[in-house]
Amino acid sequence: MSLRIGQLPDRTPVKLSVSVEPDLACALADYAAIYAETYGAQEKPETLVPVMLEMFLSSDAGFKRARKALHARASKGDT
């Protein structure tokens, strides 16, 4: 059978642990508080951080170009 969409990739979250400086932890807590004021929904900073990182990476044109080149080299076996 042929379907229009292929099999979905693995979407199982991967847990990462990071340590941040106290100033960044405070800024993330403030961001979560402002988020709650803005949207009326409480979210922990650790819930917002993955979205922030995803948005940052998706907006970084240099990273996207370099990543594409990296994967092109890897597919040629030139890693």
Side-chain angles (χ1 to χ4, degrees), residues 1 18 42:
M1 174 183 293
V18 297
Q42 297 285 333

Side-chain angles (χ1 to χ4, degrees), residues 1-76:
M1 174 183 293
S2 179
L3 299 176
R4 285 218 178 258
I5 62 170
Q7 185 174 1
L8 295 176
D10 184 4
R11 296 179 291 159
T12 305
V14 176
K15 184 172 179 122
L16 299 176
S17 295
V18 297
S19 298
V20 298
E21 297 293 324
D23 287 346
L24 179 55
C26 184
L28 291 169
D30 289 346
Y31 193 98
I34 295 165
Y35 180 95
E37 288 177 9
T38 302
Y39 298 110
Q42 297 285 333
E43 295 291 347
K44 294 180 180 180
E46 53 268 28
T47 304
L48 297 172
V49 167
V51 178
M52 293 172 170
L53 289 171
E54 189 173 2
M55 290 180 70
F56 173 81
L57 292 175
S58 70
S59 68
D60 187 328
F63 168 71
K64 287 193 273 189
R65 282 190 301 275
R67 187 175 192 208
K68 185 176 180 180
L70 175 71
H71 287 276
R73 287 191 310 271
S75 69
K76 292 179 182 178

